[in-house]
Amino acid sequence: MASISARRLAKELREIQSEGCPVGITLLEANDFSRWLFTIEVMGESLYQGEVYDLQFRFDAQYPISSPAVQFVVTGGKQSPIHPHVYSNGHICASILGNEWSPVLSVIAVCVTLQSMLASCKVRPTDNDRYVRNAPENPKKTLFHYDDDT
Amino acid sequence: MSLYNYVETPNTNLVCCICRAPFTDPITTRTCTHTFCSECILRALTHSALCPIDRSPLSVNDLVDASPIVRSLVDELVVECPHLSEGCSHTSQRQAMPLHLRDECEYGEVGCLVDGCTEVMKRKDIPAHVEKAHADSEMHSGEEGQEEEGSISRTESEEHTCPHAGIGCPYTGPLKASEHLESCPYESLKGFFVMNTARMSLLTEQNMLLRHRVDTLESTVFTLRREMNAAKNALGPWFRSSYHGMGGYSVVGSEVAGATAGPSESGGGVDELSPYFPSEEVGLRHRASSSVSEGMYGGIVAPLDLGTTLEGTLVGLRESMVGLAAGVDSAGRRSEIALANETLRLGEEMMSVRAQMHGLRMQVHGMMMDRNAALREEGYGNFGMAGSITKL
């Protein structure tokens, strides 16, 4: 029943439209229940002040049992933020998008988590180039090793 | 998950956090008491064996039906008819909605009431359908939906199959569907099959729940059996199943039928351990009965106090063991002392006897000396002899 993921996403979308997104997050595009786009901006005093990033969610029919595929958009002149857990191809190394995903989480919850994650140092991950060369198209297919809590 | 739209925004406490809709067939976890729709949590568990809310380990065996209060709360939420967009503005409690769809809703899908027609259509379309399709059974118009068209294409083909082929009619032949249906045995059962299918799906659902519960129970039974075996091993020969006891009682009881005191103590014949485990009755009899019975059964009944628990008996046995060891020890010591005393006494007696002997020997020696002297005097003169005799 594909309608389970569709109904759940419809509910989330209705919630976003009626209550609005948290500060710094805006819904850019949600034409269907397979791909949504958000813009994300770190508010207040931070290294990312004034920088706006595009965040892409892709859902499969198993959502919310399986996690959405989340990555920063790096095409069309967009760039991914410079962060130890974000690769230059837009992939994000975050446990809640992998083995710690829970169906209880939602699109907005993921956005807020990533927003708070961004408030950190400005260094590319050390293995960036190697990862980007070999990375699969879908970040969910990568087996990240989550080694700290930042 | 529920496919209904709810008239009012449901209380957030009644919303499953996986599907974000009020619980359908709510299930609660035994370990962390979180509640989910049964379908949602079962799907989530196939993905990861953790509670979605607190990530604690969770398995299917930890799921139990939510409390009836929660079930009633969600079943009584008012929902809209799923055919609202088509025009049915009916609302009812969620638990009553399936009934509305089946029996009332103008937009619910029902089978045509006319004999010989298997079309499924919205209830409100039935009069129009009957008018169009059954005014002339040969003339089916294609306006009543795709299923209708499907059946037309079947009736126009060379080999006709029965519209009831789906439920088992094996007919294929030259007769058109409507002609065949007049004689088709499945036609008269059409209503039954519709009902049956509905029942079947209900039963399948219940079956799944029950299977789930059976699984849970089986695992519980398994655990209990394992614990039971462990206890049995620990008890050893003290373990006595009530079944065994009963069997021994009845079998031997019939053997000794007629004897007044027969059945109770006759358990002794069943196996060699059984005298250690007489039935309760025997114990009571022994306590109550006089020395006569004790004399009779003294050889059979174990010298154990069966009135206490195994542990008590063991403690008692160990105590008497310690007592016996002490007794043996002291007895040995006592006999040793007695022996030493006796030896001493005998030694003294020997000494005294030896002293007496010495005295006697001295006396004899004295007498001999006197006699020798007398004999010597006699040798010199007979007078002396007489004199010496008188001296003696």
Side-chain angles (χ1 to χ4, degrees), chain A residues 7-8 11 64 100 102 104, chain B residues 1 3-4 18 20 52 55:
Chain A
R7 284 184 72 95
R8 158 85 189 240
K11 264 190 200 342
E100 280 187 29
S102 160
V104 173
Chain B
M1 74 174 262
L3 296 170
Y4 298 117
I18 296 179
R20 301 284 164 98
R55 296 203 175 104

Side-chain angles (χ1 to χ4, degrees), chain B residues 38 42 203-213:
Chain B
S38 63
L42 288 174
L203 285 174
T204 314
E205 202 173 298
Q206 284 179 345
N207 203 7
M208 215 160 72
L209 257 176
L210 287 174
R211 187 173 308 147
H212 174 68
R213 287 169 70 171

Side-chain angles (χ1 to χ4, degrees), chain A residues 1 3-4 7-8 11-12 15 61-62 64-67 96 100-106, chain B residues 1-5 17-21 36 39-40 43-44 46-47 50-53 55:
Chain A
M1 252 194 336
S3 66
I4 290 184
R7 284 184 72 95
R8 158 85 189 240
K11 264 190 200 342
E12 286 191 39
E15 229 163 80
Q62 299 305 310
I65 303 299
S66 73
S67 59
I96 61 153
E100 280 187 29
W101 167 258
S102 160
V104 173
L105 294 168
S106 65
Chain B
M1 74 174 262
S2 156
L3 296 170
Y4 298 117
N5 285 318
C17 48
I18 296 179
C19 65
R20 301 284 164 98
F36 307 94
E39 194 184 331
C40 292
R43 287 177 68 229
T46 59
H47 192 258
L50 296 174
C51 170
I53 294 179
R55 296 203 175 104

Side-chain angles (χ1 to χ4, degrees), chain B residues 275-294:
Chain B
Y276 286 82
F277 312 112
S279 64
E280 278 298 300
E281 211 182 326
V282 181
L284 287 174
R285 282 185 61 85
H286 272 275
R287 243 162 276 149
S289 60
S290 63
S291 61
V292 178
S293 66
E294 246 171 62

Side-chain angles (χ1 to χ4, degrees), chain B residues 43 49 56 66 78-79 108 112 137 193 211 221 234 243 247 263 273-274 282 313 325 343 377 387:
Chain B
R43 287 177 68 229
S56 64
V78 179
V79 298
C112 176
S137 58
F193 275 113
R211 187 173 308 147
V221 165
Y243 165 76
L273 276 174
S274 49
V282 181
T313 314
T343 316
E377 273 178 28

Side-chain angles (χ1 to χ4, degrees), chain A residues 24-80:
Chain A
I25 294 165
T26 53
L27 179 63
L28 212 59
E29 181 190 314
N31 300 326
D32 53 27
F33 295 132
S34 63
R35 180 173 175 270
W36 290 6
L37 278 178
F38 286 85
T39 63
I40 182 166
E41 185 182 356
V42 183
M43 307 309 288
E45 292 285 309
S46 91
L47 295 165
Y48 300 92
Q49 211 154 14
E51 296 177 23
V52 182
Y53 302 102
D54 282 10
L55 196 58
Q56 172 191 266
F57 284 76
R58 280 177 293 168
F59 309 100
D60 55 22
Q62 299 305 310
Y63 181 82
I65 303 299
S66 73
S67 59
V70 185
Q71 64 187 102
F72 286 103
V73 177
V74 289
T75 51
K78 293 287 182 179
Q79 285 213 321
S80 65

Side-chain angles (χ1 to χ4, degrees), chain B residues 1 33 63 72 77-79 89 100-101 107 118 120 129 156 167 199 214 227 256 259 281 324 326 347:
Chain B
M1 74 174 262
T33 64
L63 304 178
S72 320
L77 290 172
V78 179
V79 298
S89 56
H100 162 73
L101 288 176
Y107 300 87
T118 56
V120 174
H129 163 77
E156 282 166 1
I167 52 176
R199 265 187 75 83
V214 164
E227 280 171 7
V256 206
E281 211 182 326
L324 275 176

